[in-house]
Amino acid sequence: MSILRRTTITAGTLITAVTLAVSGAATAAPAAPATAPDGVTHEQNPRVPEGAVWTEAYFPSADNSGVELHADVLRPAHLPAHAKTPVILVVSSYVSHAGQTGPQGWTRTGPSDRFADFTSGTDLFQRGYTYVMVDLRGFGGSTGCLDWMGPGEQADVKAAIQWTASRPWSTGKVGMYGKSYDAATGLVGNNLRLRALKAVVAQEPVWDMYNYLFSNGVPRPNVTATPNAYNSIVTMAPLPDDSARYRANAAYEQSHPECLADNLTNNNNPDPDSAYWRARDLAAQAKGTGTPLFVTQGFIENNTKPEDMQQYLDNHRGVERGWLGQWEHVRGNETNEEGQLLQGRAGFFDEVMRFYDRFLKNDKPGVRDPAFAIEDNTGAWRAQPTWPMSTSSTTATLLDGQYVDDGITSTLATPADQQWDMEHYTDPAPPAGQRLTPMAGDTHSYFSWSRPVTSRVRITATPRITLRASAPGNVMVRLWDVAADGTAVMFDENVALIERAGSVAFDLKSTDWTLQTGHQLGVQIGTIGSGNWRDTPSGNTIAVSRARLDLALQDPRFDRPTQGDRSPFLDTYLRQYTRTLTGVGEGTFRLALRPRR
């Protein structure tokens, strides 16, 4: 056993504690340099990043609820305690001392390693930044009931920004960083309109929390499993050598079982217009906001999908940067076993730090980065000043038709043992090589076809479908890129509940997909029959009329190339979603690009 000296900071008091920690070392750890802030260094505890000094802090949330939030503070070890620095802030459900989404097997306490790749890959501490991780209510060392990005968690984000900005070691300028759930807290930070928040980096966020569990009234298969997964995370046991205060806060749910019960029932409301879900519509709340924003988003993401991304970006009025492309749920710097960058583009950390330096340090960058770097389905990258940027738009008039809402198609069922938190959830992939016959004998769906395009055409932005249905039930709309030989890739889809006969309208996912010369767009309308939703088939025969598809189009001839390789997941996606369609029609609508003026 060794003696570990740790400093715990409260909102107004410094408390120096002596804590026993298991280390395996026989001698006392060396003291931190005299010029460093008081706390624990890497040499004293290897869980502390090199070049940092670790302390803990507690402060109240901003909603006067009595919730106490816990923070891990990592200060540059080479700077004196009074040195003021800008702060990079992570507000998260995944920064418990014991683990991210489950216990990681640590034998001693210490700050989370959730974004250790970021702090080490950017030399964050040597660059003069303080790094703070705050547990959302109910998680880690914070009290309170988890709130699925609702008013309570939004109050936590507000308190975390204000607290970090007001510390004597802070310049008052805060940037937020995250991926997945803690990317969504960054979107919340922007929505709060706080002067101290100067920049947000949000990788693969959820833009509207409703869409993670439902699609236009239809539940996803994770509608109960995801709340259960987060209930498991909030009840993760602390480590034996965590402080008494941390351990007491971590046990909050033991005396408040309503936290877990409410999280299950509250999230099962299928109505997107309910007060519960309106409070969690981050895209709508972004209207008129202006915090500089750097986002990443995979168009073919199988976890946090590009739904309401366009609305959020349209509502946001500040500086925007983005990497958008054909990848799965990965970080901008992440690589596979072969060393390939999973998003395909090099230099993510360099761009992120130029972004932070500009808005948190007022440093003028020596490199001019494109506002948006975008990869389409051909694997080619282009630079744009904004996204989306359409050349023209069209409204495709689709055929009338009918289908039986019986939920029958050939796709894989959802794996029963799937983990459903945002870090791990993936939709089940359909079997490759399936042959579809969209002819009169198919009672489950029907197709409309475009005429073959005479030059390359890109479908960008967010397609929207409008139709009239003759009976209640369910509807799925899929878009297919169809080659002349019938080889087709399904590249966009969404579903909706038809509550009553009449008009139905909904968005598909945002997309960026280029049709090659001679290809056709196939629009499939029919029953859901997919393991990606937990629909209840009505059994009704639903006649569809007055169907229209609104599309934004872009001419690839005017692309401005930028660096980037083909993201590896694109080929995986193509293998999973390529089919052979037979009975393809000549086409009843055109995808025409207007001449550029």
Side-chain angles (χ1 to χ4, degrees), residues 398 446-448 465 477-479 521-525 549 589:
L398 308 179
Y446 77 97
F447 282 74
S448 298
I465 187 78
V477 176
R478 285 177 160 173
L479 303 186
L521 175 66
V523 184
Q524 183 184 14
I525 301 176
L549 180 66
F589 63 89

Side-chain angles (χ1 to χ4, degrees), residues 14-38:
L14 290 179
I15 302 173
T16 301
V18 177
T19 306
L20 291 176
V22 178
S23 69
T27 59
T35 57
D38 196 14

Side-chain angles (χ1 to χ4, degrees), residues 29 40 45 52 70 79 124 137 141 166 231 233 241 257 261 272 290 349 367 391 401 442 477 525 544 555:
V40 180
N45 181 347
H70 167 266
L79 296 180
L124 192 70
R137 59 183 58 202
S166 65
N231 281 355
I233 297 171
D241 61 333
F349 284 156
V367 175
T391 304
D442 179 14
V477 176
I525 301 176
V544 176
D555 192 337

